[in-house]
């Protein structure tokens, strides 16, 4: 066995990986297992070459990953931002086993999470540090909680620049999937005095109350009049995917629950787009904005968020409903696609690893 890491500063790198296998035909690059989206709608567990890293990358041994309920379905069906074939998945955590020469802030052996780079549903992933927001996983988090930190960073972007203030004390969240459940905890940590959640599924509404929501409601049971009679919110965050209700768009109802002059944050990823009435939006004098995408802001706020998670102000464990082996990923993913009410976060691990 010949190791390709002879130029590594850290001797520990070779403890993690033997990069080349020597066979009868000479030297061949070591392979790894990965779930590959070969084309839209087709996922295969394949052997692929081990990633090579650049001077600005780290090689991470994936300890745990998780299914993204919001983005993964859209990528699976064929999203314009992604080209196939590609290694699927983007929510993961693991240990650095090699680093490029330009990486100073992280060391081999560090347990890390990051937002955002696809290619996580594999045994190893090359992550570009200067293109992502990377953090050390808080020491008191379990292996299963680690990959959900990517979701924490992603969802908190919705209000990173909207802490509670004199004119921002109340918030409504439409969609209590994993992102919405994280966001309501973050809103509390940022000082919001009242947080209300909307969702179709009873399991999620109950969990939202446990995690700090003041009230929850089923949007199918609301009318335009009922929304007008509700206590108005300073901020409304649309976390939902495709609108599953017939009749008037859910977003119209939701906008009526935001005070005139309030803020509407568009965060969710509906595959079929989002329908709403410009009339309702204009008459309520709302301002719409998206989540934070500035990487420097995400890195700065991310440090605070990691501290909140470590202190238990943002809880991850209650969101984990399923744990499966990577080898059994496909039926678990099909269940997320077809029965979203049955799970919140699905954690994945390789069968032969702890």
């Amino acid at each position: 066995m010949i190791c390709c890491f002879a130029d590594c500063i850290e001797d520990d790198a070779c403890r993690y990986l033997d990069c080349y296998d020597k066979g009868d035909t000479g030297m061949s690059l070591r392979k790894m297992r990965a779930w590959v989206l070969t084309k839209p709608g087709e996922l295969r567990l394949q052997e692929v070459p081990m990633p090579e890293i650049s001077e600005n990358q780290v090689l991470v041994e994936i300890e745990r990953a998780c299914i993204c309920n919001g983005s993964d379905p859209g990528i699976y069906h064929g999203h314009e931002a992604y080209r196939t074939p590609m290694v699927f998945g983007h929510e993961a955590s693991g240990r650095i086993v090699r680093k490029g020469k330009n990486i100073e802030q992280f060391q081999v052996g560090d347990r890390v999470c990051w937002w955002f780079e696809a290619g996580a549903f594999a045994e190893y992933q090359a992550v570009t540090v200067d293109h992502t927001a990377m953090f050390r996983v808080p020491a008191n988090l379990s292996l299963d909680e680690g990959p959900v930190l990517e979701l924490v960073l992603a969802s908190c972007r919705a209000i990173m620049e909207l802490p509670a203030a004199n004119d921002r004390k109340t918030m409504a969240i439409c969609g209590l999937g994993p992102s919405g459940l994280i966001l309501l905890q973050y809103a509390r940590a940022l000082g919001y005095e009242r947080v209300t959640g909307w969702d179709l599924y009873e399991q999620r509404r109950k969990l939202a109350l446990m995690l700090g929501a003041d009230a929850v409601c089923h949007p199918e049971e609301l009318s335009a009049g009922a929304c007008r009679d509700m206590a108005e919110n300073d901020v409304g965050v649309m976390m939902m995917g495709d609108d599953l209700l017939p009749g008037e768009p859910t977003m119209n109802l939701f906008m009526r629950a935001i005070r005139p002059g309030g803020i509407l944050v568009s965060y969710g990823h509906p595959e079929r787009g989002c329908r709403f009435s410009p009339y309702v939006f204009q008459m309520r004098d709302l301002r719409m904005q998206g989540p934070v995408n500035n990487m420097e802001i995400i890195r700065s706020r991310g440090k605070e968020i990691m501290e909140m998670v470590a202190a238990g102000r943002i809880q991850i464990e209650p969101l984990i409903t399923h744990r499966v082996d990577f080898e059994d990923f496909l039926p678990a993913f099909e269940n997320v696609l077809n029965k979203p009410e049955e799970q919140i976060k699905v954690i994945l691990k390789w069968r032969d690893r702890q």
Side-chain angles (χ1 to χ4, degrees):
M1 195 74 71
I2 301 175
C3 178
C4 70
F5 295 146
D7 60 342
C8 289
I9 297 175
E10 296 83 1
D11 292 335
D12 281 348
C14 297
R15 176 170 62 84
Y16 289 101
L17 288 175
D18 289 312
C19 188
Y20 284 96
D21 290 325
K22 187 174 183 180
D24 294 337
T25 59
M27 297 180 64
S28 62
L29 189 64
R30 182 182 169 183
K31 303 283 188 175
M32 68 174 185
R33 294 167 294 174
W35 279 99
V36 178
L37 185 65
T38 55
K39 62 182 180 180
E42 183 177 272
L43 281 162
R44 294 182 181 274
L45 182 60
Q46 297 182 341
E47 281 198 341
V48 299
M50 184 80 70
E52 296 183 3
I53 63 169
S54 73
E55 58 192 11
N56 296 315
Q57 291 181 314
V58 295
L59 185 65
V60 178
E61 181 180 32
I62 301 298
E63 294 178 324
R64 295 288 190 277
C66 51
I67 297 172
C68 177
N69 305 45
S71 299
D72 281 351
I75 298 170
Y76 171 73
H77 289 130
H79 192 288
E80 63 184 17
Y82 301 89
R83 302 175 67 178
T84 58
M86 60 171 285
V87 177
F88 200 61
H90 59 270
E91 295 186 5
S93 61
R95 292 194 181 274
I96 296 175
V97 296
R98 190 188 180 196
K99 66 172 190 171
K101 65 179 182 180
N102 289 344
I103 306 302
E104 298 180 353
Q105 63 271 51
F106 298 101
Q107 303 301 324
V108 167
D110 284 348
R111 185 176 166 217
V112 293
C113 61
W114 57 94
W115 184 89
F116 165 92
E117 199 154 86
F121 287 6
E123 293 185 274
Y124 300 91
Q125 181 179 358
V127 182
T128 312
V129 175
D130 55 1
H131 290 174
T132 62
M134 178 173 280
F135 300 92
R136 291 178 180 83
V137 175
N140 61 340
L141 262 60
S142 68
L143 288 177
D144 287 353
E145 292 172 294
V148 188
L149 288 170
E150 195 279 349
L151 167 77
V152 172
L153 292 166
S155 54
C156 289
R157 293 182 304 118
I159 58 171
M160 276 181 175
E161 296 290 87
L162 291 174
N166 289 335
D167 59 345
R168 290 196 302 267
K169 296 181 179 180
T170 60
M171 176 181 294
I173 300 171
C174 187
L176 296 172
S179 295
L181 292 167
I182 289 293
L183 193 70
L184 78 86
Q185 298 180 74
Y186 187 45
R188 283 297 197 199
L190 289 180
Y192 281 84
E193 296 175 2
R194 189 185 76 239
V195 182
T196 305
W198 293 31
D199 202 89
L200 297 176
Y201 305 129
E202 182 179 12
Q203 176 198 28
R204 296 179 180 185
R205 296 196 300 270
K206 287 182 176 179
L207 185 52
L209 290 172
M210 189 193 84
L211 293 173
D214 293 284
V216 294
C217 60
H218 190 320
E220 191 172 27
E221 299 172 355
L222 297 175
S223 65
C227 290
R228 284 192 293 265
D229 293 338
M230 295 171 62
E232 292 180 329
N233 298 276
D234 300 316
V235 180
V237 187
M238 287 292 295
M239 305 294 284
M240 59 181 255
D242 287 330
D243 195 342
L244 302 180
L245 297 182
E248 184 179 19
T250 300
M251 190 167 176
N252 288 357
L253 293 173
F254 190 63
M255 288 190 295
R256 293 189 178 101
I258 304 171
R259 67 167 173 80
I263 299 173
L264 176 64
V265 180
S266 174
Y267 177 90
H269 301 284
E271 289 187 56
R272 296 193 296 268
C274 181
R275 293 175 54 241
F276 69 97
S277 167
Y279 171 79
V280 176
F281 177 77
Q282 293 165 14
M283 291 304 294
R284 298 195 68 76
D285 194 26
L286 301 179
R287 174 163 61 91
M288 183 186 292
Q289 65 183 59
V292 172
N293 286 305
N294 182 293
M295 198 61 72
E296 291 305 316
I297 295 175
I298 297 169
R299 290 176 183 138
S300 175
R301 300 292 186 213
K303 295 176 183 177
E304 302 168 3
I305 291 167
M306 290 296 150
E307 292 173 358
M308 293 175 182
V309 172
R313 300 177 70 190
I314 297 177
Q315 298 181 60
I316 291 176
E317 180 61 33
L319 276 63
I320 299 173
T321 55
H322 294 72
R323 294 169 169 86
V324 301
D325 293 329
F326 255 119
E327 292 83 350
D328 299 323
F329 157 68
L330 203 53
F333 184 53
E334 290 172 349
N335 203 45
V336 169
L337 293 175
N338 300 322
K339 299 178 180 179
E341 72 278 9
E342 291 187 358
Q343 60 278 304
I344 298 178
K345 288 309 291 181
V346 180
I347 304 301
L348 307 167
K349 73 176 182 68
W350 293 104
R351 190 174 295 147
D352 55 358
R353 295 184 180 177
Q354 294 296 318

